[in-house]
Amino acid sequence: SDRFHAHGLTVSAAVQAMFGIEDVPYQPNQACDRAPWEYKLDSRVSKLMAGSSIDRWLEMDTYYFTTARFLNALDYYTAKVPTDKLGVAMMNRPELTPDDYSARFHAIANAHANWINMFMLPLDDAWEP
């Protein structure tokens, strides 16, 4: 991304299941087969993400699943990626309750994340502060 920066451009990368990257022989979908907490985390992955010249990592592991899984993924990324480089993914989903919204935004505020990446426009009014 340094070459892009030289031209005044900002670089982001959308990523998913970075917690599931393992130093094992490749198998299709192996990084998404299990819940995040079921993987042995490889510290090299988070070091590469934190030290990268990518300006913003748009993590996609908080788009879907339950609120508990959202919180787990958010905890992983905020512990491994500097918040000034982190984009938290959010998605319009009809099954989310007002409690789900509150819990997610409470967690984002407590994590000091400052970037939300929305998927599936238009935004439902329930997302608005």
Side-chain angles (χ1 to χ4, degrees):
S1 59
D2 292 332
R3 287 185 171 177
F4 290 102
H5 293 146
H7 295 280
L9 297 172
T10 300
V11 180
S12 64
V15 296
Q16 185 173 19
M18 299 302 282
F19 49 76
I21 296 176
E22 300 176 296
D23 193 7
V24 296
Y26 173 76
Q27 294 175 12
N29 298 316
Q30 71 190 24
C32 297
D33 281 347
R34 302 184 304 261
W37 54 87
E38 295 176 353
Y39 289 92
K40 181 181 177 194
L41 301 178
D42 188 332
S43 63
R44 295 174 295 175
V45 174
S46 56
K47 286 177 185 171
L48 286 170
M49 290 178 75
S52 170
S53 62
I54 295 287
D55 297 297
R56 186 75 59 176
W57 293 101
L58 304 176
E59 61 77 18
M60 300 185 297
D61 296 301
T62 52
Y63 277 136
Y64 41 82
F65 298 121
T66 63
T67 296
R69 186 127 174 209
F70 172 92
L71 297 172
N72 185 267
L74 182 65
D75 286 348
Y76 170 79
Y77 283 104
T78 56
K80 304 297 182 186
V81 178
T83 53
D84 65 330
K85 295 179 80 137
L86 180 63
V88 179
M90 305 291 270
M91 180 174 154
N92 279 325
R93 295 182 28 230
E95 74 275 9
L96 293 178
T97 67
D99 284 345
D100 292 322
Y101 290 119
S102 294
R104 289 166 194 239
F105 281 104
H106 179 78
I108 288 169
N110 283 340
H112 305 289
N114 63 6
W115 187 287
I116 296 173
N117 181 51
M118 291 302 299
F119 181 69
M120 296 293 287
L121 297 175
L123 286 179
D124 187 294
D125 289 344
W127 286 100
E128 295 179 15

